[in-house]
Amino acid sequence: MTFGARYKCPRCDAVYTREEYDALESTWVDPRIPELGKTKICPRCGSKFSENRMVLKDYVELKHGVVAEVSTVDLVMEHEWNGDDGYFYETMLCFYRDEGSNAIVPGCEVVIRYKTGEEAVQGHRRILEALRKNKGYRFTKVPMLTVNYDQLEKIARGGGLSD
């Protein structure tokens, strides 16, 4: 798959190839703020691709002042995941000392990608539930990410990743 080979309307879920998407009518995201640029308009439902996107964001307080941010969004553009394509949604997980402060683990981690909005909502809820139980959680579809609570506690107390 080529990155961005297909685009999905966030409102009606119509999927367009790159060529079809490029040919769609464009309009300003907000004509009062030209810096925001332009967006495409779905010919089936009339919605702007920049609107009606799923955005779920929750914060979970963990031990020692660590806060986990779980963010699930509609990507609009198709993304590949583990060698498979058709993924239009993803959940990311970030850890902070306090809500809104600088991340204590460098950058955010992509937790998982989903093909449908329903899968994304269910996945978001499962991750929240696991974090709220304050147990380590290994995401089986993403073997490179394990939430290591001992390491998070060490970082929250002022230790580094290598301590």
Side-chain angles (χ1 to χ4, degrees), residues 44-147:
R44 290 188 185 172
C45 70
S47 179
K48 292 180 180 180
F49 274 69
S50 59
E51 296 175 349
N52 302 303
R53 294 180 59 199
M54 177 204 306
V55 177
L56 305 174
K57 188 176 283 196
D58 289 284
Y59 295 90
V60 179
E61 290 185 36
L62 306 174
K63 296 177 183 178
H64 306 289
V66 175
V67 175
E69 176 186 326
V70 182
S71 175
T72 301
V73 298
D74 177 345
L75 298 167
V76 176
M77 183 188 320
E78 179 178 41
H79 286 65
E80 183 177 325
W81 188 244
N82 289 338
D84 190 13
D85 60 5
Y87 294 87
F88 288 96
Y89 302 86
E90 82 178 4
T91 298
M92 294 186 80
L93 186 58
C94 299
F95 297 97
Y96 304 95
R97 281 200 174 89
D98 296 301
E99 187 175 328
S101 67
N102 291 332
I104 61 173
V105 176
C108 292
E109 295 291 338
V110 173
V111 174
I112 195 166
R113 288 192 174 141
Y114 314 92
K115 291 189 176 191
T116 69
E118 185 177 312
E119 288 175 354
V121 170
Q122 290 172 0
H124 185 91
R125 288 181 183 154
R126 280 193 307 273
I127 292 165
L128 286 175
E129 183 179 315
L131 290 170
R132 286 179 178 143
K133 288 180 179 177
N134 249 349
K135 295 181 179 176
Y137 185 73
R138 186 160 181 90
F139 298 91
T140 57
K141 291 187 178 180
V142 189
M144 81 261 194
L145 178 64
T146 301
V147 178

Side-chain angles (χ1 to χ4, degrees), residues 21-42:
Y21 178 81
D22 287 344
L24 296 178
E25 180 183 347
S26 294
T27 188
W28 292 103
V29 169
D30 185 338
R32 298 166 298 171
I33 310 171
E35 293 83 13
L36 294 177
K38 290 190 169 190
T39 186
K40 299 293 185 172
I41 299 173
C42 177

